[in-house]
Amino acid sequence: IFPVMFVIIENDLRRLLSYSLNNQLGFMVVGIGIGTELSLNGTAAHAFAHILYKSLLFMSMGAVLYRVGTVKASQLGGLYKSMPWTTTFCIIGAISISAFPLFSGFVAKGIILFAVAEEGLWLIWLALLCVSGILDNTGLRVPYASFFSHCSGLHCDEAPTNMLLAMAIAAFACLFIGLFPSILYAYLPYSMDYHPYTMDHVIAQLQLVFFALLAFVVLIKNGLYPQAMPAINLDTDWIYRKLCKNILGY
């Protein structure tokens, strides 16, 4: 839950993705903590899927950094005209991290949520569900801030071919796993009878995603969403850094 708050206010989009990564690791720790065969399968599947779509998002931001020299949300915007392919791949990564049906996040993250519900841990399930909704901010904010927000006046070339090829491979993997989850499930530690594309699961996830999208649009349109500011956010590392400086002198 803690890193999600920084996802909302962080200006550096690569730092934002790092906070999102910590949040996703929290999902995996929950799966390990439950310890059932289903939750451990969910943890393994989520770890694999997460590596793919988070790498895709990092690569897209790396391409932006390579071309314009910054990934600060306060300095970006309107790059979809200059970098259409990078924009497309970033959107695929964003859709995947939001666990939209037909993409990898949907068929992996849901296993952990299902395992939590199966054990009757409803408070934890509710916390994970709420964080999943808030986490959609990563899927919304990263492409919006870098490619679709206010016109920053930046104009550049599309990412180099080798970068586009790497992003295309990751994007294809995100979609392929989402369409054919049984291929991923075959390599999980334990056999399981889990089907991601049930009506209940699809409708519940669509409701979560579209509610997060609606909230994002409403907040943006009414000027209530935190504005990207060129500032440094202090995290818990400030405590031990200050202690080291005061006690050890460096």
Side-chain angles (χ1 to χ4, degrees), residues 58-72:
F58 270 116
M59 284 191 288
S60 64
M61 290 301 98
V64 171
L65 179 64
Y66 180 79
R67 283 307 192 197
V68 302
T70 182
V71 285
K72 301 293 179 64

Side-chain angles (χ1 to χ4, degrees), residues 57-92:
L57 289 169
F58 270 116
M59 284 191 288
S60 64
M61 290 301 98
V64 171
L65 179 64
Y66 180 79
R67 283 307 192 197
V68 302
T70 182
V71 285
K72 301 293 179 64
S74 58
Q75 301 176 24
L76 296 176
L79 287 177
Y80 72 94
K81 297 178 181 178
S82 300
M83 308 179 73
W85 282 108
T86 302
T87 302
T88 301
F89 294 137
C90 182
I91 291 174
I92 293 174

Side-chain angles (χ1 to χ4, degrees), residues 3-10 16 19-20 137-138 141 225:
V4 172
M5 307 308 162
F6 284 87
V7 167
I8 298 174
I9 64 174
E10 180 57 54
L16 183 156
Y19 280 118
S20 169
N137 275 282
T138 303
R141 187 162 182 244
Y225 196 86

Side-chain angles (χ1 to χ4, degrees), residues 1 116 120-130:
I1 295 174
V116 173
L121 302 172
W122 297 113
L123 185 60
I124 297 175
W125 178 85
L126 183 61
L128 293 180
L129 190 67
C130 291

Side-chain angles (χ1 to χ4, degrees), residues 41-43 45-47 49 103-112 184-185 194:
N41 275 349
T43 300
H46 187 35
F103 291 85
S104 57
F106 177 78
V107 302
K109 189 190 299 183
I111 303 176
I112 298 177
L184 173 62
Y185 294 167
Y194 175 80

Side-chain angles (χ1 to χ4, degrees), residues 136-137 140-141 144-145 211-221 225:
D136 289 339
N137 275 282
L140 293 168
R141 187 162 182 244
Y144 174 78
F211 178 79
L213 177 60
L214 176 63
F216 184 81
V217 172
V218 170
L219 291 173
I220 289 289
K221 291 294 185 181
Y225 196 86

